Amino acid sequence: KQEVTQIPAALSVPEGENLVLNCSFTDSAIYNLQWFRQDPGKGLTSLLLIQSSQREQTSGRLNASLDKSSGRSTLYIAASQPGDSATYLCAGVDDYKLSFGAGTTVTVRA
Amino acid sequence: DAGITQSPRHKVTETGTPVTLRCHQTENHRYMYWYRQDPGHGLRLIHYSYGVKDTDKGEVSDGYSVSRSKTEDFLLTLESATSSQTSVYFCAISVDRGEETQYFGPGTRLLVL
Protein backbone atom coordinates (compact mmCIF):
# COMPACT_ATOMS: atom_id res chain seq x y z
CA LYS A 1 0.00 0.00 0.00
CA GLN A 2 1.35 3.38 -1.02
CA GLU A 3 2.05 5.67 1.93
CA VAL A 4 2.48 9.36 1.17
CA THR A 5 3.90 11.80 3.70
CA GLN A 6 4.09 15.58 3.57
CA ILE A 7 6.30 17.56 5.87
CA PRO A 8 5.85 20.13 7.29
CA ALA A 9 2.14 20.08 8.05
CA ALA A 10 2.05 23.87 8.09
CA LEU A 11 4.28 26.66 6.85
CA SER A 12 4.15 30.45 7.21
CA VAL A 13 6.35 32.72 5.09
CA PRO A 14 6.53 36.42 4.25
CA GLU A 15 5.41 37.53 0.82
CA GLY A 16 8.09 37.20 -1.82
CA GLU A 17 9.87 34.25 -0.25
CA ASN A 18 10.22 31.05 -2.24
CA LEU A 19 8.24 28.07 -0.99
CA VAL A 20 9.55 24.51 -0.86
CA LEU A 21 7.02 21.77 -0.13
CA ASN A 22 8.10 18.18 0.36
CA CYS A 23 6.37 14.90 -0.42
CA SER A 24 7.69 11.40 0.15
CA PHE A 25 6.20 8.09 -0.92
CA THR A 26 7.00 4.48 -0.09
CA ASP A 27 6.42 2.66 -3.37
CA SER A 28 8.65 3.82 -6.22
CA ALA A 29 6.50 1.94 -8.75
CA ILE A 30 4.14 4.85 -9.26
CA TYR A 31 2.54 5.86 -12.54
CA ASN A 32 2.89 9.52 -11.79
CA LEU A 33 2.86 12.11 -9.01
CA GLN A 34 0.31 14.87 -8.82
CA TRP A 35 0.21 18.11 -6.86
CA PHE A 36 -3.09 19.73 -5.93
CA ARG A 37 -4.17 22.91 -4.23
CA GLN A 38 -7.16 23.08 -1.89
CA ASP A 39 -8.66 26.31 -0.61
CA PRO A 40 -10.73 26.19 2.61
CA GLY A 41 -14.13 24.64 2.02
CA LYS A 42 -13.37 24.00 -1.64
CA GLY A 43 -12.48 21.10 -3.89
CA LEU A 44 -9.06 20.21 -5.21
CA THR A 45 -7.43 22.01 -8.10
CA SER A 46 -4.79 20.16 -10.08
CA LEU A 47 -1.50 22.06 -10.25
CA LEU A 48 1.04 19.75 -11.84
CA LEU A 49 1.31 16.14 -12.92
CA ILE A 50 4.72 14.51 -13.29
CA GLN A 51 4.80 11.32 -15.31
CA SER A 52 6.95 8.49 -13.95
CA SER A 53 9.37 8.95 -16.87
CA GLN A 54 9.82 12.66 -16.14
CA ARG A 55 12.05 14.41 -13.62
CA GLU A 56 10.14 17.68 -13.35
CA GLN A 57 7.26 19.81 -14.56
CA THR A 58 6.87 23.56 -14.62
CA SER A 59 3.89 25.86 -14.82
CA GLY A 60 4.45 29.57 -14.31
CA ARG A 61 5.89 30.13 -10.82
CA LEU A 62 5.45 26.45 -9.96
CA ASN A 63 8.02 23.74 -10.47
CA ALA A 64 7.72 20.17 -9.27
CA SER A 65 10.46 17.56 -9.27
CA LEU A 66 10.23 13.80 -8.96
CA ASP A 67 12.93 11.40 -7.79
CA LYS A 68 11.46 7.91 -7.86
CA SER A 69 14.63 6.23 -6.59
CA SER A 70 14.52 8.20 -3.34
CA GLY A 71 10.72 8.30 -3.16
CA ARG A 72 10.53 12.09 -3.11
CA SER A 73 8.83 14.94 -4.87
CA THR A 74 9.27 18.64 -4.21
CA LEU A 75 7.01 21.52 -5.18
CA TYR A 76 8.70 24.90 -5.54
CA ILE A 77 6.64 28.10 -5.64
CA ALA A 78 8.69 31.12 -6.61
CA ALA A 79 8.10 34.59 -5.19
CA SER A 80 5.15 33.65 -3.03
CA GLN A 81 2.05 35.86 -2.87
CA PRO A 82 -0.79 36.04 -0.31
CA GLY A 83 -3.00 34.36 -2.93
CA ASP A 84 -0.81 31.27 -2.68
CA SER A 85 -2.15 30.65 0.82
CA ALA A 86 -3.86 27.25 0.69
CA THR A 87 -3.32 23.60 1.49
CA TYR A 88 -1.13 21.75 -0.98
CA LEU A 89 -1.61 18.04 -1.43
CA CYS A 90 0.54 15.54 -3.26
CA ALA A 91 -0.75 12.20 -4.49
CA GLY A 92 1.06 9.18 -5.87
CA VAL A 93 -0.78 7.39 -8.65
CA ASP A 94 -0.54 3.61 -8.64
CA ASP A 95 -2.52 2.44 -11.66
CA TYR A 96 -5.90 4.20 -11.22
CA LYS A 97 -5.63 4.92 -7.53
CA LEU A 98 -4.49 8.18 -5.97
CA SER A 99 -2.84 7.89 -2.55
CA PHE A 100 -2.85 11.30 -0.89
CA GLY A 101 -0.61 12.89 1.65
CA ALA A 102 -2.22 14.85 4.50
CA GLY A 103 -1.14 18.13 2.95
CA THR A 104 0.91 21.19 3.85
CA THR A 105 -1.04 24.29 4.83
CA VAL A 106 0.73 27.40 3.58
CA THR A 107 0.19 30.93 4.84
CA VAL A 108 1.86 33.77 2.96
CA ARG A 109 1.98 36.92 5.08
CA ALA A 110 1.60 40.25 3.32
CA ASP B 1 -12.57 24.02 -14.75
CA ALA B 2 -13.75 20.50 -15.54
CA GLY B 3 -17.53 20.25 -15.72
CA ILE B 4 -18.26 18.37 -12.52
CA THR B 5 -21.18 19.09 -10.21
CA GLN B 6 -22.15 17.41 -6.98
CA SER B 7 -25.53 17.41 -5.31
CA PRO B 8 -26.49 18.13 -2.70
CA ARG B 9 -23.64 20.39 -1.57
CA HIS B 10 -24.67 20.13 2.07
CA LYS B 11 -26.81 17.57 3.86
CA VAL B 12 -27.77 16.82 7.44
CA THR B 13 -29.34 13.47 8.11
CA GLU B 14 -30.04 11.10 10.96
CA THR B 15 -28.38 7.82 11.80
CA GLY B 16 -29.99 4.89 10.04
CA THR B 17 -31.44 6.81 7.10
CA PRO B 18 -30.37 6.15 3.50
CA VAL B 19 -28.51 8.90 1.70
CA THR B 20 -27.64 9.26 -1.98
CA LEU B 21 -25.05 11.68 -3.31
CA ARG B 22 -24.87 12.50 -7.00
CA CYS B 23 -21.93 13.35 -9.19
CA HIS B 24 -22.60 14.67 -12.69
CA GLN B 25 -19.97 15.35 -15.36
CA THR B 26 -20.18 17.00 -18.76
CA GLU B 27 -16.70 15.91 -19.94
CA ASN B 28 -17.61 12.39 -21.10
CA HIS B 29 -14.67 10.97 -19.13
CA ARG B 30 -14.62 7.22 -18.67
CA TYR B 31 -13.39 7.06 -15.07
CA MET B 32 -15.25 8.42 -12.06
CA TYR B 33 -14.31 8.23 -8.39
CA TRP B 34 -15.74 8.89 -4.96
CA TYR B 35 -13.44 10.02 -2.13
CA ARG B 36 -14.03 11.07 1.42
CA GLN B 37 -11.88 13.63 3.23
CA ASP B 38 -11.48 13.53 6.99
CA PRO B 39 -9.10 15.33 9.34
CA GLY B 40 -6.18 13.09 10.16
CA HIS B 41 -6.92 10.71 7.28
CA GLY B 42 -6.66 12.90 4.22
CA LEU B 43 -8.51 11.81 1.10
CA ARG B 44 -9.42 8.14 0.75
CA LEU B 45 -10.97 6.33 -2.19
CA ILE B 46 -14.41 4.80 -1.57
CA HIS B 47 -15.40 3.40 -4.97
CA TYR B 48 -14.56 4.03 -8.57
CA SER B 49 -16.10 3.34 -11.97
CA TYR B 50 -14.38 2.50 -15.24
CA GLY B 51 -17.49 2.61 -17.40
CA VAL B 52 -21.26 2.35 -17.40
CA LYS B 53 -22.27 -0.39 -14.97
CA ASP B 54 -18.57 -1.11 -14.23
CA THR B 55 -17.56 -0.29 -10.67
CA ASP B 56 -15.08 -1.49 -8.10
CA LYS B 57 -14.23 -0.98 -4.45
CA GLY B 58 -11.65 1.38 -3.08
CA GLU B 59 -9.87 1.63 0.24
CA VAL B 60 -12.89 2.42 2.46
CA SER B 61 -15.92 0.90 0.72
CA ASP B 62 -17.72 -0.69 3.70
CA GLY B 63 -21.16 0.85 4.20
CA TYR B 64 -21.22 2.41 0.73
CA SER B 65 -22.59 1.33 -2.62
CA VAL B 66 -22.39 3.00 -6.03
CA SER B 67 -24.16 2.90 -9.35
CA ARG B 68 -23.42 4.23 -12.79
CA SER B 69 -26.22 3.84 -15.33
CA LYS B 70 -25.05 6.67 -17.58
CA THR B 71 -21.60 7.94 -18.48
CA GLU B 72 -22.29 11.32 -16.91
CA ASP B 73 -23.71 10.23 -13.55
CA PHE B 74 -22.11 8.39 -10.63
CA LEU B 75 -24.21 7.87 -7.51
CA LEU B 76 -22.90 7.12 -4.02
CA THR B 77 -25.38 5.59 -1.57
CA LEU B 78 -25.05 5.21 2.16
CA GLU B 79 -27.55 2.44 2.80
CA SER B 80 -27.93 3.24 6.50
CA ALA B 81 -25.95 6.30 7.50
CA THR B 82 -23.77 6.23 10.62
CA SER B 83 -22.04 9.04 12.47
CA SER B 84 -18.68 7.72 11.26
CA GLN B 85 -19.78 8.61 7.73
CA THR B 86 -19.88 12.30 8.59
CA SER B 87 -17.35 13.67 6.14
CA VAL B 88 -16.75 15.72 3.04
CA TYR B 89 -17.31 13.66 -0.09
CA PHE B 90 -15.56 14.46 -3.35
CA CYS B 91 -16.23 13.13 -6.80
CA ALA B 92 -13.44 13.04 -9.37
CA ILE B 93 -13.16 12.17 -13.05
CA SER B 94 -10.35 11.22 -15.38
CA VAL B 95 -9.82 10.30 -18.99
CA ASP B 96 -7.85 7.18 -18.23
CA ARG B 97 -6.77 5.18 -15.23
CA GLY B 98 -3.49 6.77 -14.34
CA GLU B 99 -1.65 8.77 -16.95
CA GLU B 100 -3.80 11.87 -16.84
CA THR B 101 -4.86 14.02 -13.95
CA GLN B 102 -8.02 13.53 -11.95
CA TYR B 103 -10.36 16.52 -11.78
CA PHE B 104 -12.35 17.05 -8.63
CA GLY B 105 -15.83 18.33 -7.95
CA PRO B 106 -16.68 20.96 -5.30
CA GLY B 107 -17.57 18.40 -2.61
CA THR B 108 -20.59 17.50 -0.48
CA ARG B 109 -20.55 18.12 3.26
CA LEU B 110 -22.51 15.39 5.02
CA LEU B 111 -23.39 15.48 8.71
CA VAL B 112 -24.94 12.36 10.23
CA LEU B 113 -26.54 13.04 13.60
Side-chain angles (χ1 to χ4, degrees):
Chain A
K1 179 178 181 290
Q2 182 74 266
E3 300 287 343
V4 180
T5 304
Q6 292 185 250
I7 296 173
L11 188 59
S12 179
V13 299
E15 183 176 3
E17 190 166 301
N18 295 333
L19 285 163
V20 180
L21 307 180
N22 297 304
C23 172
S24 61
F25 47 94
T26 54
D27 186 355
S28 62
I30 57 171
Y31 267 28
N32 59 49
L33 192 291
Q34 297 185 29
W35 283 93
F36 295 88
R37 169 184 172 139
Q38 186 174 30
D39 293 293
K42 304 291 186 181
L44 279 69
T45 300
S46 177
L47 296 175
L48 290 168
L49 179 149
I50 313 173
Q51 302 283 3
S52 60
S53 58
Q54 297 175 318
R55 300 279 297 183
E56 65 179 298
Q57 271 291 354
T58 298
S59 176
R61 295 184 294 113
L62 276 59
N63 174 275
S65 65
L66 175 64
D67 184 343
K68 289 181 61 180
S69 62
S70 65
R72 293 180 182 177
S73 178
T74 303
L75 177 66
Y76 300 90
I77 303 177
S80 63
Q81 305 167 359
D84 294 328
S85 298
T87 296
Y88 292 83
L89 299 159
C90 70
V93 179
D94 179 6
D95 197 6
Y96 65 89
K97 183 176 178 293
L98 285 176
S99 295
F100 282 88
T104 295
T105 299
V106 171
T107 302
V108 181
R109 309 186 303 271
Chain B
D1 290 344
I4 310 170
T5 56
Q6 293 185 231
S7 59
R9 295 292 315 279
H10 302 270
K11 186 170 183 65
V12 180
T13 191
E14 294 186 349
T15 298
T17 61
V19 176
T20 296
L21 308 183
R22 180 182 183 236
C23 176
H24 178 78
Q25 61 146 327
T26 58
E27 305 296 325
N28 201 36
H29 285 355
R30 178 180 175 189
Y31 290 85
M32 299 186 75
Y33 313 81
W34 278 107
Y35 293 88
R36 60 178 290 174
Q37 186 175 34
D38 305 287
H41 291 282
L43 277 124
R44 294 176 291 175
L45 181 67
I46 304 171
H47 281 280
Y48 73 101
S49 170
Y50 48 97
V52 173
K53 292 185 170 41
D54 293 322
T55 65
D56 206 348
K57 296 178 180 180
E59 181 184 355
V60 289
S61 59
D62 288 347
Y64 301 94
S65 63
V66 291
S67 65
R68 191 170 179 197
S69 59
K70 298 185 289 184
T71 298
E72 59 266 35
D73 289 326
F74 193 31
L75 303 180
L76 177 70
T77 297
L78 291 64
E79 301 290 347
S80 177
T82 67
S83 58
S84 65
Q85 293 176 311
T86 292
S87 187
V88 181
Y89 291 86
F90 288 101
C91 173
I93 64 174
S94 66
V95 172
D96 63 18
R97 56 189 297 155
E99 295 185 357
E100 300 295 330
T101 194
Q102 291 189 15
Y103 297 96
F104 282 74
T108 293
R109 291 185 176 274
L110 176 66
L111 175 61
V112 183
L113 299 174

